[in-house]
Amino acid sequence: MSTFDNPFNPQRRLERSGCVCGRHRGTAEHDADARLLQCVPVAAATDSEEQRYQGMVASAVMRAVFPKDAARRAFLKSVGASTALAALSQFFPLETATEVFAQGAAQAGAIEKKDLKVGFIPITCATPIIMAHPMGFYAKHGLNVEVIKTAGWAVIRDKTINKEYDAAHMLSPMPLAITLGAGANPIPYTMPAVENINGQAITLAVKHKDKTDPKSWKGLKFAVPFDYSMHNYLLRYYVAEHGLDPDQDIQIRAVPPPEMVANLRADNIDGFLGPDPFNQRAVYDGVGFIHILSKELWDGHPCCAFAASKEFVATMPNTYAALLKAIIDATAFAHRSENRKQIAAAIAPANYLNQPETVLEQILTGTYADGLGNVKRDPNRIDFDPFPWQSFAIWILTQMKRWGQIKGDVDYKAVAEQVFLSTDTAKLMQEMGLTPPVTTTKSFVVMGKTFDPDKPEDYIQSFKIKRV
């Protein structure tokens, strides 16, 4: 018997056993005794959802009023369904009960908060978060999201911590730093999705065209977006592998990405390891050249992320799931190369990246001018893969410890599991028809050296230049 049977049909039974008249143990016994009555199967439901909920509530009330189907059927035959419903409504608030039941039935999957604010920095790393607005991915998953352009990473962090933003585009090391209290009070944070992989470069001022060997960079001034960034760790890794101490032989300062090209033009810095579009914009403006793509240091490295507080994830699980699904959906769309020009047009306007489409197309398609007179082709210059490998987190933690940002013993695995929510992402990817990895960690190669996530301390000790 369907839960949504019509309780005001005298031919339908409400008991889970027996027959319509309530006097027999089953249909066969009933049919043998009274061929004029039949217990027929339920037809396919065609009522509205509200009508089905009303029917379920009425069924429960009718069972309470008429424990025996024979009495209910007799009552209905004598007064009719409409009169019976009116009489029932007089002493039981069917409408109110139906509303309460409908709310309760929907609660398990209901989005707790549809109107959200998500902050972003105007860089191509934020492509899935940004494009999900003009291209309808948030709306597709039942959300009304305002994406807010923000000046810098410290502002993003503070506005998210202060709950001015519900979630945010962050650098992938930031949720780890926030959770551990590096540079601020510790607050449990999560990173359920990677926004982009690759997508960065070391760009030098045009006056340094002869300085292609990093060993010649002693005394130069470089910018990175933030202290807790892949850019900072990759730049430090790169120069250290070439024998330079990043804290003694060069200067590294934090500069908001939108200000990098202007600082390069003004000769305040000699170069930067930064996100696009500013590497390509420096070429476009004729003030810089691309020395090396970050993917040439570590192909497939994470950069930016979708991040939210542990509190947001715990208190708004359905909103969180819908938001993460929208991000995963947009990221999967951005991964396909045939969609890149369409995406470039969507995120170019002033309220998003405020960049010429041709600059964004060069980045997203991987066919680009390097500022040295060459046109290069690398379709994976930037790519999009949402899975937050926990081994990424462990590598980041090794670099935070290597350069003295965190001290003492670190439970690498536990922190990685707490912050990089691989299990959540895998579950939602499966629900969306995508195929997530079967594990949460993997080894990879950074500048020729294999990283084993099971041996983070050995990895740190293997470096000649370090702060520990």
Side-chain angles (χ1 to χ4, degrees), residues 275-313:
D276 275 313
F278 301 108
N279 301 291
Q280 201 61 49
R281 186 60 191 260
V283 173
Y284 182 82
D285 288 356
V287 297
F289 67 95
I290 296 174
H291 167 70
I292 191 171
L293 298 178
S294 59
K295 74 177 291 288
E296 297 176 65
L297 312 183
W298 171 6
D299 193 6
H301 72 82
C303 183
C304 286
F306 164 66
S309 69
K310 196 77 171 179
E311 180 184 355
F312 177 80
V313 173

Side-chain angles (χ1 to χ4, degrees), residues 143-187:
L143 299 171
N144 177 33
V145 175
E146 180 184 0
V147 290
I148 304 172
K149 186 189 292 188
T150 309
W153 296 110
V155 180
I156 280 269
R157 178 195 60 199
D158 295 344
K159 283 183 176 289
T160 311
I161 289 174
N162 294 334
K163 300 181 182 178
E164 294 178 54
Y165 296 161
D166 297 286
H169 161 216
M170 286 189 177
L171 299 158
S172 53
M174 287 175 65
L176 293 163
I178 294 171
T179 298
L180 292 172
N185 293 326
I187 299 172

Side-chain angles (χ1 to χ4, degrees), residues 272-463:
F272 58 82
L273 199 164
D276 275 313
F278 301 108
N279 301 291
Q280 201 61 49
R281 186 60 191 260
V283 173
Y284 182 82
D285 288 356
V287 297
F289 67 95
I290 296 174
H291 167 70
I292 191 171
L293 298 178
S294 59
K295 74 177 291 288
E296 297 176 65
L297 312 183
W298 171 6
D299 193 6
H301 72 82
C303 183
C304 286
F306 164 66
S309 69
K310 196 77 171 179
E311 180 184 355
F312 177 80
V313 173
T315 59
M316 298 189 185
N318 300 322
T319 301
Y320 157 70
L323 187 54
L324 181 51
K325 278 187 175 181
I327 297 296
I328 292 172
D329 205 356
T331 306
F333 186 87
H335 172 68
R336 296 193 288 274
S337 58
E338 66 269 21
N339 298 329
R340 299 288 178 85
K341 287 190 176 183
Q342 180 186 355
I343 292 169
I347 65 177
N351 56 324
Y352 300 128
L353 294 191
N354 192 27
Q355 294 291 331
E357 278 187 43
T358 183
V359 170
L360 300 182
E361 284 186 9
Q362 288 185 70
I363 298 159
L364 293 172
T365 64
T367 299
Y368 64 96
D370 69 354
L372 296 173
N374 307 305
V375 174
K376 295 190 173 182
R377 291 174 176 80
D378 190 335
N380 293 320
R381 170 177 175 169
I382 187 171
D383 204 352
F384 304 94
D385 182 346
F387 194 75
W389 290 95
Q390 290 171 358
S391 45
F392 288 170
I394 296 172
W395 186 89
I396 292 168
L397 291 169
T398 67
Q399 300 308 294
M400 293 173 73
K401 188 168 182 180
R402 176 185 182 183
W403 302 116
Q405 290 181 332
I406 55 176
K407 302 181 187 300
D409 295 334
V410 179
D411 191 337
Y412 297 94
K413 187 173 184 293
V415 175
E417 290 176 351
Q418 178 185 348
V419 179
F420 279 42
L421 303 183
S422 306
T423 303
D424 286 10
T425 308
K427 178 183 176 183
L428 293 181
M429 287 177 71
Q430 285 181 324
E431 289 180 10
M432 298 170 67
L434 302 172
T435 305
V438 295
T439 63
T440 60
T441 62
K442 64 177 179 178
S443 63
F444 41 80
V445 176
V446 183
M447 289 193 69
K449 181 179 290 187
T450 299
F451 174 67
D452 182 348
D454 292 327
K455 299 178 180 179
E457 287 294 337
D458 291 349
Y459 187 69
I460 295 172
Q461 295 306 317
S462 70
F463 296 110

